[in-house]
Amino acid sequence: MKTLVFLEFDNGVVKKSSIEVASFGKTVAGTTVQAVVAAPAGTDFSPLGAYGVDKVWHITAPEFADPEAQPLAAALAQAATTAGAEIIILPKNSLTDAAAPRLAARLGAGVATNVIGLQSGSSADFVVKRSVFSGKAFAYTQVEGPVRVLTLKKNAVDVVVGTILPVSVESFAPLLTAADTVLKRLSVEKTTGEILLPDAERVVSGGRGLKGPENWALITDLAAALGAATACSKPVSDMDWRPHHEHVGQTGIKVSPNLYIAVGISGAIQHVAGINSSKVIVAINKDADAPIFKVADYGIVGDAFEILPKLTAAVKNLN
Ligand SMILES: Cc1cc2nc3c(=O)[nH]c(=O)nc-3n(C[C@H](O)[C@H](O)[C@H](O)COP(=O)(O)OP(=O)(O)OC[C@H]3O[C@@H](n4cnc5c(N)ncnc54)[C@H](O)[C@@H]3O)c2cc1C
C-alpha cells in the first residue's frame, strides 16, 4: 500500500515520535514510504533512510515552520494526491488532532486517531488498534475506503531500524487558497529556560504528598539532576503551589516521556489519563496500596522527604 508519512523536525533533528511514524509506515506499507517534511533548506534527511523513507517532499515555505492545521491539511492533501498515497500517517499531537480530520475531509478518506498498531490476524480489511477512553480501553477500528488517514500515538510502537536507503528529496510548494490561511499566527512566546512538558523526555511530577510549595525544591532538584521537566497533579496547581501549565492529566497536559517519576501522587484515573503514554513510570508513595503502583513500572514505597534527597544525590553522582 502506498504510504505517505508526515514527519516533524526540531532544530534540524527528526523528532522521536516522527521516527516511530516512519517505522510504523514502513510496516504498514510493507515497503518503502514517502515523507512530507516542513524544515529549513539544507536540512539533512539522510537519517530517515534507516526507517524506510526513500523520498522526502520538502516544504521550505516559512509559514510552514510552525504551521496551523488548515494549511498543513491542504499541503498534505496535495502531496498525498501527487504521491498517489493510500495511507497517510501523522504523529498524534495537538497540531495533527486538528489537521488529520481536515486532511481526511479533503481526501474523502476515513480517519483513525490515536492508533497504537495494526490488528494482527484479522480477516477484515485494514483494522487498526486504537487507544481510547484516555488509555483505559482499546478499540479495533476498520478503516474502509481507498484512502485512510491515521494518527499514531507516541511511544506505542517499537522502531525498526533497517538497511539505510538513499533518500531522494523533492522541493514541494503547496498551493494555498485564501480559505487555507484565515488563521495567521502573529507571534509565539515560548517559556524560556524550561523544558516544555509535552516534548520532555523525562518528567518529575509532584502531588499533594509533598505537603506544600515550600518543599518543591525536592522535585526541582531531582528534575535538574536528571535534565527533566517538572509537573504536578491538579490539586497542586489548583492550590497555586505550582503554575497551571504544569498540571498533568485528563484536564491538563498529556505527557509521553521516556521516564515519568510520580512523587506523592495517588494515581487517580484523571491523573493517569495524562501519563499513560509514558514509556517508564516510577512511583514514590508512602502508601503501598496507592493506585499509582498499578500503572508504575517501578515503585518505591516510602516517605518522599527521605527518598528524594538520596535519589537526587545518587543521580548527581552518576553525572
Ligand atoms: C473531572 C475531574 C478532572 C480531573 N482532572 C485531573 C487531572 O487532569 N489531573 C490530576 O492530577 N487530577 C485530576 N483530577 C483530580 C483527581 O481525581 C485527584 O483528586 C488528584 O489527581 C489527586 O491528586 P494527588 O494525587 O496529588 O493528591 P492525593 O489524592 O491527596 O494523593 C496524595 C498521595 O501522596 C501520598 N503521600 C502523602 N505523603 C507522602 C509522603 N510523605 N511521601 C510519599 N507519598 C506521600 C499519599 O499516600 C497519596 O497517595 C480530576 C478530578 C475530576 C473530578
Side-chain angles (χ1 to χ4, degrees):
M1 270 182 284
K2 279 197 172 176
T3 301
L4 183 75
V5 294
F6 170 59
L7 306 181
E8 294 175 304
F9 275 60
D10 187 19
N11 281 326
V13 179
V14 61
K15 289 188 176 181
K16 181 171 162 281
S17 54
S18 284
I19 292 176
E20 292 166 358
V21 166
S23 177
F24 180 63
K26 188 185 171 198
T27 305
V28 172
T31 175
T32 57
V33 296
Q34 300 191 15
V36 174
V37 181
T43 303
D44 178 16
F45 296 121
S46 59
L48 299 179
Y51 311 108
V53 176
D54 66 355
K55 171 151 189 177
V56 166
W57 298 89
H58 185 194
I59 305 174
T60 51
E63 60 269 33
F64 281 88
D66 191 4
E68 295 289 349
Q70 193 100 335
L72 178 62
L76 291 176
Q78 288 165 36
T81 306
T82 310
E86 297 157 286
I87 301 193
I88 303 109
I89 310 174
L90 303 83
K92 191 215 174 300
N93 55 41
S94 54
L95 170 65
T96 61
D97 281 349
R102 287 175 165 84
L103 170 63
R106 282 171 184 266
L107 296 173
V111 57
T113 57
N114 229 16
V115 170
I116 56 172
L118 293 174
Q119 186 188 31
S120 55
S122 168
S123 56
D125 186 33
F126 206 80
V127 178
V128 291
K129 185 176 181 182
R130 298 167 54 226
S131 173
V132 294
F133 298 117
S134 301
K136 289 190 285 298
F138 300 127
Y140 294 92
T141 306
Q142 183 173 10
V143 195
E144 294 183 337
V147 183
R148 290 114 170 174
V149 175
L150 313 179
T151 65
L152 183 72
K153 188 176 178 182
K154 195 173 170 188
N155 282 338
V157 297
D158 290 329
V159 169
V160 181
V161 182
T163 318
I164 300 177
L165 305 168
V167 181
S168 71
V169 180
E170 188 164 334
S171 178
F172 175 50
L175 298 171
L176 301 180
T177 64
D180 295 327
T181 53
V182 281
L183 285 186
K184 288 196 171 49
R185 194 171 310 182
L186 300 181
S187 66
V188 175
E189 283 179 21
K190 291 201 170 167
T191 322
T192 52
E194 290 177 20
I195 300 167
L196 295 177
L197 256 185
D199 296 335
E201 291 296 332
R202 298 168 194 166
V203 175
V204 182
S205 187
R208 212 149 39 177
L210 268 291
K211 315 288 185 221
E214 66 279 8
N215 299 320
W216 231 260
L218 290 168
I219 296 289
T220 52
D221 285 355
L222 178 59
L226 284 168
T230 53
C232 66
S233 65
K234 182 172 184 294
V236 164
S237 62
D238 286 347
M239 291 183 293
D240 281 337
W241 293 2
R242 297 297 292 173
H244 272 282
H245 68 253
E246 286 197 1
H247 152 204
V248 162
Q250 184 183 315
T251 48
I253 304 239
K254 313 254 182 310
V255 295
S256 41
N258 283 328
L259 174 66
Y260 184 85
I261 303 180
V263 186
I265 292 177
S266 58
I269 49 168
Q270 296 90 354
H271 187 83
V272 171
I275 67 168
N276 56 17
S277 297
S278 307
K279 198 130 201 164
V280 173
I281 296 175
V282 175
I284 302 172
N285 198 301
K286 69 176 187 183
D287 175 6
D289 294 323
I292 191 75
F293 288 119
K294 291 202 177 101
V295 295
D297 299 280
Y298 300 95
I300 305 173
V301 179
D303 187 342
F305 292 85
E306 289 173 19
I307 294 163
L308 284 181
K310 290 180 189 163
L311 190 55
T312 303
V315 172
K316 281 182 179 165
N317 272 343
L318 286 175
N319 289 341

